[in-house]
Amino acid sequence: MRLFFVFLLLSTFVGGSSFLLGHNTLLPTRIWTARRSRFNTDCVNFSLGAKKKKKSSSAASSSSSGSGSGGGFGAVKEKGPPTKKQILKRVEQTYGGTTPQQIARATQERIQTRIRQLPAPIQMALQLYQQIQQWDAHLSKLSLLQQAQLDPSELEGAKRARNELNRMYQENKDIIASDQDLHNLLQKFTWDASADAKTARSMTGDMNAETTQRIERACQAVAEAVVEQEGLCLDVGCGFGVLVPFLIKAGVPAVNIHGVDLSEEMIKNAKEQHGVSKGKSPTFTSCDFLNEYNGPSSINGDNESSRQLFRAAIFCSCLHDLPDPMAALTKATSLLEVGGKIVIVHAQGASHVLKQVHSNPVLVQRGLPTTEELANLPNLRLLEEPAV
């Protein structure tokens, strides 16, 4: 049965984590492998509040009291997030206007510019990859009888394209080695190109009541797992930090929120919007969650034994964007404490994701996990039945 959930909750048990499925869930994560992403040489960690050099105790005290009282001699005033007017000005400069048509056109142009800057072999590989994904999506919609009636030359052409792409992987393995690498590259270009516009839309538009309630319900489930234990929560595919105010409202301290996203531009916007209180802000990391992210390190070091774990991980409207959603959930499980929870939510539901699969099979290659797939995840148990 196809899972048409909006919210999902899972919980870990001994040796694993828990899984919660319900009305409003957020999705993202991937599996930890030894090979690092070839497009992000490093995880860019914006640990807001610990990034700048430590001040002397007297200077720190002066800064704190100055900002609290509105200023004073020697006080350092913290820079707040940009205003709505500043955001709109940036959008106009970046996209050549603020209408949906102007933004859509400029976003596509920005993506194409990034692609043209790639080495010629990688451009060719991207083109082949997109053709193959579109062909596979077309093939999946046909019955066995319809597939049997296809022109043999079409099938042969698809086979040649796949063989050529595999050859290119071998020849360029220091840059790209798999479909997942190309998928991530296209996702990164897409979200980088649209980051400023999406951030602006969140500031200038209103979220409808139904979506707001779903997000609040999901964040409340996170808070229930995190607050009492004074634990950490992970926001996978955090984008520009849209969940931060919802999580804080639910009771999660800002400093306990960790967001990870493939897009550096999204993370820059998240830092700008929510990284304004020194020592009290979320931590945002830009990297490939599946292949690079390993969670925060404790003060004792950054080896595996000192790694801090999360009490909850939330995936909000992003699980379908990952190249392997099931591997993402497995990765999230590995980052949770025993008894931790995974919350999966898509505000528009699984039917919306299926529409994306049909309209954009290159970036969205499958629907949300089925009930059967979720039930077979190791070290997880279902806490709430998914909404169907």
Side-chain angles (χ1 to χ4, degrees):
M1 175 181 174
R2 176 64 60 182
L3 180 64
F4 286 87
F5 64 78
V6 179
F7 170 77
L8 178 66
L9 179 59
L10 305 169
S11 176
T12 59
F13 50 90
V14 175
S17 304
S18 316
F19 192 27
L20 177 60
L21 308 177
H23 287 0
N24 312 338
T25 313
L26 312 180
L27 334 169
T29 19
R30 314 174 203 182
I31 215 163
W32 197 197
T33 65
R35 183 172 61 81
R36 293 175 63 83
S37 167
R38 292 167 171 76
F39 304 109
N40 271 338
T41 55
D42 295 294
C43 272
V44 182
N45 192 325
F46 293 106
S47 189
L48 309 175
K51 187 174 178 63
K52 295 186 178 181
K53 292 183 179 179
K54 189 175 181 180
K55 301 178 182 179
S56 66
S57 58
S58 60
S61 175
S62 173
S63 173
S64 175
S65 61
S67 61
S69 61
F73 184 74
V76 178
K77 186 176 181 180
E78 293 182 352
K79 184 179 179 181
T83 64
K84 177 179 176 180
K85 182 177 180 179
Q86 290 172 326
I87 287 288
L88 288 175
K89 183 177 180 180
R90 179 193 299 172
V91 169
E92 188 168 1
Q93 293 173 339
T94 302
Y95 300 93
T98 58
T99 68
Q101 295 78 11
Q102 290 171 317
I103 291 173
R105 181 169 59 252
T107 297
Q108 189 60 35
E109 289 173 354
R110 298 181 80 192
I111 294 170
Q112 293 305 316
T113 296
R114 293 288 296 275
I115 291 175
R116 287 193 295 269
Q117 292 170 346
L118 294 170
I122 310 306
Q123 292 187 48
M124 177 62 72
L126 272 176
Q127 184 177 5
L128 283 173
Y129 171 73
Q130 292 179 78
Q131 292 173 349
I132 291 169
Q133 293 302 318
Q134 290 167 347
W135 168 257
D136 289 347
H138 169 69
L139 206 61
S140 68
K141 299 174 186 176
L142 303 180
S143 66
L144 291 177
L145 178 60
Q146 289 172 321
Q147 292 183 27
Q149 295 172 344
L150 289 172
D151 188 330
S153 64
E154 290 185 289
L155 297 172
E156 184 60 30
K159 183 179 179 180
R160 285 198 305 270
R162 171 51 71 181
N163 290 338
E164 175 65 14
L165 184 57
N166 289 337
R167 182 188 67 79
M168 298 184 80
Y169 288 151
Q170 290 297 317
E171 293 182 355
N172 300 278
K173 57 185 178 182
D174 290 337
I175 305 175
I176 55 169
S178 67
D179 287 0
Q180 186 176 116
D181 285 336
L182 293 178
H183 177 273
N184 283 349
L185 190 61
L186 287 172
Q187 286 280 4
K188 176 176 170 56
F189 286 176
T190 299
W191 294 112
D192 279 352
S194 61
D196 288 344
K198 289 186 178 295
T199 303
R201 187 171 64 181
S202 74
M203 294 183 65
T204 59
D206 293 322
M207 186 180 292
N208 66 59
E210 184 178 8
T211 298
T212 299
Q213 290 173 1
R214 290 171 176 172
I215 300 301
E216 287 177 342
R217 170 67 183 91
C219 290
Q220 185 60 47
V222 171
E224 289 168 3
V226 169
V227 175
E228 185 175 346
Q229 301 294 326
E230 298 184 352
L232 305 178
C233 76
L234 174 63
D235 179 5
V236 185
C238 66
F240 53 84
V242 66
L243 292 184
V244 169
F246 289 96
L247 289 168
I248 293 174
K249 181 181 177 181
V252 180
V255 73
N256 288 14
I257 300 170
H258 289 251
V260 58
D261 200 282
L262 183 65
S263 168
E264 292 179 14
E265 293 300 317
M266 283 291 189
I267 290 298
K268 285 180 181 178
N269 276 278
K271 178 186 177 184
E272 188 177 63
Q273 292 293 319
H274 307 292
V276 296
S277 298
K278 297 175 183 177
K280 300 179 181 179
S281 299
T283 295
F284 295 110
T285 302
S286 172
C287 68
D288 177 355
F289 175 77
L290 190 56
N291 292 317
E292 294 178 346
Y293 191 70
N294 203 30
S297 299
S298 72
I299 58 174
N300 297 319
D302 56 7
N303 56 46
E304 186 68 19
S305 61
S306 66
R307 181 165 63 97
Q308 289 183 286
L309 298 176
F310 296 97
R311 285 296 303 169
I314 184 167
F315 300 79
C316 185
S317 300
C318 64
L319 191 59
H320 60 288
D321 289 321
L322 299 173
D324 189 340
M326 301 307 293
L329 292 172
T330 301
K331 170 65 179 288
T333 304
S334 73
L335 297 173
L336 293 181
E337 299 176 1
V338 173
K341 293 179 174 60
I342 295 176
V343 181
I344 302 173
V345 62
H346 197 294
Q348 294 168 290
S351 58
H352 176 77
V353 175
L354 291 177
K355 291 178 182 177
Q356 290 184 287
V357 172
H358 293 300
S359 63
N360 189 8
V362 174
L363 292 181
V364 184
Q365 297 170 5
R366 58 155 291 169
L368 295 175
T370 63
T371 304
E372 290 75 18
E373 287 176 312
L374 294 170
N376 289 326
L377 284 168
N379 301 322
L380 289 169
R381 62 169 172 260
L382 185 64
L383 296 183
E384 287 190 22
E385 289 294 332
V388 296

